[in-house]
Each structure stands twice: as structure tokens, then as C-alpha cells.
Amino acid sequence: MEYGIQSVVGFGGMLVNGDLFAVILFSTVHVPASAADRFKTLALDVKSAFSRFSDANVFTRISGPATESARTQ
């Protein structure tokens, strides 16, 4: 392959405020599937670390058509 890349491992997710994050690792050595599976737990750690920088309040009430109609019923 070009640049000697043997493996690509990636993970990502959605943060509380709706932003997406992605981490992509390009490796010049083969990464076995058993090692790549360990990145699942790392994804949760990265998501937790990013959540510190979120300005969003998880329990903020959002008003709009859906919430307004639910209150009138």
C-alpha cells in the first residue's frame, strides 16, 4: 500500500452537545483483530475526556413544537 500502511483502526462517537468525534490510526505494521477490539474501551475513555469540554447542559429544557404540544395534552 501507499506510504507503507498495513492497518487502519478507527473509532468515534457523538458527544452530549451533538458534536461528533473520530480517531483514525494509520499503522505501518499489521494490527491483529484482537488488538483492534481493545479500541472499543478506548473510545469510551476518549468520549469521557471530551465531555469535560462540552458547554451543553444535559438537562436543559428545549422548547419547541414537540414539547409545547406535549404540555397542552
Side-chain angles (χ1 to χ4, degrees):
M1 288 183 96
E2 194 171 348
Y3 302 107
I5 296 172
Q6 296 289 316
S7 297
V8 179
V9 179
F11 60 87
M14 183 177 288
L15 302 176
V16 175
N17 64 0
D19 289 344
L20 297 174
F21 75 93
V23 177
I24 304 170
L25 170 75
F26 296 93
S27 175
T28 57
V29 297
H30 174 72
V31 176
S34 59
D37 283 341
R38 295 181 190 159
F39 281 85
K40 290 178 186 176
T41 56
L42 182 61
L44 294 174
D45 292 336
V46 170
K47 184 175 181 176
S48 296
F50 280 148
S51 68
R52 293 179 30 197
F53 303 105
S54 174
D55 294 331
N57 186 346
V58 176
F59 300 106
T60 300
R61 180 177 289 247
I62 300 172
S63 62
T67 57
E68 294 298 325
S69 63
R71 280 188 239 160
T72 58
Q73 293 179 356

